Amino acid sequence: MSDTTPSRLDLLRFLERVQLADLERTRRWIADEERRAAERARGAAARPPAPDWTIEMSLGGRHPVAVHVGGCHMAGKRPRRVDRGEALRALAEGVEACTHCRPDGELGFVDG
């Protein structure tokens, strides 16, 4: 072998440095992903629970449009959290019950 050609040992040491750098980069990626997963879990744990009942409000926010079971995907962008009594009062006053989640049935409301 000439002096300019690296020896097999030199090549193996070079390979080792490259692989160690790859391993460190992979470990950083793993740590970053673990941090993101922990942040998502903390966010989910801190999120308030879905309300039991909501009332969807009109565009101006002044008039109730429909009563929904909490978490109903049809509640629109203007739901207002309410308790059971307020949901029942709204139904009794003629506010529509959502036809998808049927809060009237869940509440045991009988129009009569």
Side-chain angles (χ1 to χ4, degrees):
M1 289 188 150
S2 72
D3 290 337
T4 60
T5 304
S7 70
R8 180 168 167 76
L9 183 58
D10 290 337
L11 292 173
L12 289 171
R13 296 245 186 251
F14 172 76
L15 177 61
E16 179 183 38
R17 286 192 306 273
V18 169
Q19 289 179 330
L20 285 172
D22 285 347
L23 180 59
E24 284 305 311
R25 183 180 60 230
T26 302
R27 286 179 175 159
R28 281 193 309 273
W29 289 344
I30 290 170
D32 290 345
E33 189 58 32
E34 287 173 340
R35 267 192 300 280
R36 284 190 291 271
E39 288 170 5
R40 283 191 299 273
R42 279 193 303 276
R47 188 174 303 124
D52 289 337
W53 315 103
T54 61
I55 295 180
E56 180 181 356
M57 302 302 287
S58 64
L59 281 176
R62 294 180 182 212
H63 306 288
V65 174
V67 178
H68 297 271
V69 172
C72 175
H73 66 280
M74 297 300 290
K77 296 185 181 192
R78 297 169 302 281
R80 183 170 56 94
R81 293 172 171 253
V82 295
D83 61 20
R84 178 183 178 82
E86 194 169 349
L88 281 167
R89 269 191 305 283
L91 290 171
E93 292 169 2
V95 176
E96 280 188 45
C98 172
T99 57
H100 294 273
C101 64
R102 303 304 312 176
D104 46 352
E106 293 281 328
L107 288 162
F109 179 78
V110 178
D111 191 15

